[in-house]
């Protein structure tokens, strides 16, 4: 049924639903490299010998930390029924296995390499990363995360979810290990994996990191004045990373729109960082908080962080509405409302977010 006018999402979902329905196994790696036989890996529970911790907050999987023969392993097991009840939820474990299988041979910096994964067994087993989830990104964390993100893009992987729970810092660098929302695209002709690849340039690596992670962490770091230097540091590094990324893509024959996309963003940020960093902060923070609030409301997955975001949006509208309009950050839909109506819209969203807390 695949046709040229399907979006990338639709084509992927159709193929993966059909694959799941066929009952075909999908596996990668070497089961002989596992610390225990597969049957024992599948039967592990929080009380089994060697199991040190259990993360079961996830929607699609639970992760056990298993210590065996002096080494620690992350044992990720699919839930029999995913808690995300939509097509992406039904196929997210398969999607994650596919990404790991494709990434395995590439050895990208900061990308975990599981030893084994299987759809039938509902398992992905990886070396345990001993580290911490990052907060406000310091220079080393930002550099290493951007390095990994750019390497993924260059190889045709678009990662959507850079939230803190999907990032670990081992003291040397940031690692990625959850590829449940990482989709393929063509980095030489497309911006990302949404639509047909070219309709949504608003979504790109730095935007994903800022939206899913950085601006959330900055809410804990203090007020906007205190957050500003952290933001400036990240944006400088992101601008440089995009210049370098564009140069590498250019050598491989990327199209002018793709090169213009990264170079244009980098040039704009360099310019604004030099002349009006506060305004760039305001616009970026607005976009990050408003789009993440929308995502949480749509996914009915609101948390205390969602409420913090809704409150920041209202406080900022009240105190800096005029600057905000001038920054160009408001969506056309928001910009069409007067100040009172716009404030009411975000107040209503906060009320709704309170109703759909996880
Ligand atoms: N290889 C690993 N090393 C250390 N911790 C891990 C590893 N893989 C997962 N975790 C921990 O388990 C949690 C959930 O894992 P994740 O892959 O993000 O699952 P989910 O799909 O449920 O979000 C992570 O936030 C992290 O704390
Ligand atoms: Mg995760």
């Amino acid at each position: 049924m695949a046709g040229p006018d399907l979006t990338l999402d639709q084509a992927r979902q159709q193929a993966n639903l059909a694959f799941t329905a066929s009952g075909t196994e999908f596996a990668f790696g070497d089961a002989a490299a596992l610390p225990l036989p597969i049957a024992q890996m599948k039967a592990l529970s929080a009380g089994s010998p060697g199991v040190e911790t259990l993360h079961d907050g996830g929607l699609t999987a639970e992760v056990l930390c298993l210590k065996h023969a002096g080494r620690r392993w992350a044992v990720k097991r699919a839930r029999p029924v995913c808690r995300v009840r939509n097509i992406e939820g039904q196929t997210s474990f398969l999607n994650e296995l596919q990404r790991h299988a494709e990434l395995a041979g590439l050895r990208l910096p900061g990308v975990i390499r599981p030893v084994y994964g299987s759809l039938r067994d509902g398992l992905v087993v990886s070396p345990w990363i001993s580290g911490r989830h990052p907060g406000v990104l310091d220079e080393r964390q930002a550099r290493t995360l951007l390095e990994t993100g750019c390497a993924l893009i260059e190889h045709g992987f678009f990662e959507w979810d850079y939230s803190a729970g999907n990032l670990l810092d081992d003291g040397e660098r940031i690692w990625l290990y959850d590829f449940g929302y990482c989709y393929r695209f063509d980095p030489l002709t497309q911006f990302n994996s949404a639509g047909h690849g070219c309709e949504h340039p608003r979504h790109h690596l730095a935007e994903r990191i800022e939206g899913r992670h950085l601006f959330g962490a900055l809410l804990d770091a203090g007020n906007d004045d205190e957050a500003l230097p952290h933001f400036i540091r990240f944006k400088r590094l992101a601008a440089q990373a995009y210049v370098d990324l564009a140069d590498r893509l250019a050598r491989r024959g990327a199209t002018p729109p793709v090169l213009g996309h990264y170079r244009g963003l980098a040039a704009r940020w360099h310019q604004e960082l030099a002349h009006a960093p506060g305004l760039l902060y305001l616009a970026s923070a607005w976009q990050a908080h408003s789009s993440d609030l929308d995502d949480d409301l749509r996914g009915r997955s609101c948390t205390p962080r969602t409420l913090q975001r809704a409150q920041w949006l209202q406080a900022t509208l009240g105190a800096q509405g005029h600057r905000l309009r001038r920054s160009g950050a408001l969506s056309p839909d928001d910009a069409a409302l007067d100040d009172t109506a716009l404030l009411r819209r975000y107040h209503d969203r906060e009320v709704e977010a309170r109703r759909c807390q996880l």
Side-chain angles (χ1 to χ4, degrees), residues 5 42 78 90 95 102 120 135 182 223 248 278 321 346:
D5 37 329
K42 286 169 69 175
Q90 287 170 46
N95 186 69
E102 295 154 0
R120 195 165 291 157
C182 181
N223 61 28
R248 293 192 299 273
Y346 281 91

Side-chain angles (χ1 to χ4, degrees), residues 1-189:
M1 241 172 69
D5 37 329
L6 289 182
T7 65
L8 296 173
D9 290 321
Q10 289 165 339
R12 181 187 69 247
Q13 287 166 359
Q14 277 192 6
N16 282 357
L17 281 177
F19 189 91
T20 308
S22 76
T24 313
E25 163 70 322
F26 184 93
F28 67 87
D30 178 9
L34 290 171
L36 300 170
I38 288 180
Q40 280 183 47
M41 300 294 297
K42 286 169 69 175
L44 288 174
S45 68
S48 305
V51 172
E52 296 187 333
T53 54
L54 166 66
H55 292 259
D56 67 352
L59 297 172
T60 54
E62 57 180 18
V63 176
L64 298 154
C65 175
L66 171 71
K67 190 167 179 191
H68 179 86
R71 285 187 67 185
R72 287 196 172 84
W73 300 88
V75 183
K76 185 167 187 174
R77 290 195 307 206
R79 295 186 187 287
V81 179
C82 175
R83 288 188 197 157
V84 184
R85 297 185 179 277
N86 57 25
I87 296 181
E88 296 296 15
Q90 287 170 46
T91 56
S92 62
F93 200 75
L94 171 59
N95 186 69
E96 176 152 20
L97 291 172
Q98 292 167 334
R99 291 305 83 77
H100 280 307
E102 295 154 0
L103 286 164
L106 298 175
R107 299 175 166 261
L108 304 183
V111 171
I112 194 132
R113 273 183 291 125
V115 293
Y116 176 75
S118 153
L119 185 61
R120 195 165 291 157
D121 296 323
L123 268 186
V124 180
V125 181
S126 316
W128 184 259
I129 300 158
S130 144
R132 298 174 49 185
H133 299 301
V136 170
L137 301 170
D138 65 22
E139 166 132 7
R140 174 185 58 79
Q141 292 172 326
R143 265 186 205 290
T144 57
L145 180 56
L146 287 163
E147 180 193 23
T148 298
C150 287
L152 286 170
I153 289 173
E154 284 176 76
H155 288 86
F157 296 82
F158 194 86
E159 170 57 46
W160 287 87
D161 189 0
Y162 284 94
S163 56
N166 292 337
L167 311 173
L168 276 170
D169 179 5
D170 69 357
E172 298 213 341
R173 64 165 309 123
I174 299 264
W175 285 87
L176 301 188
Y177 43 86
D178 180 357
F179 293 97
Y181 291 94
C182 181
Y183 304 123
R184 303 308 304 265
F185 76 118
D186 176 5
L188 301 183
T189 61

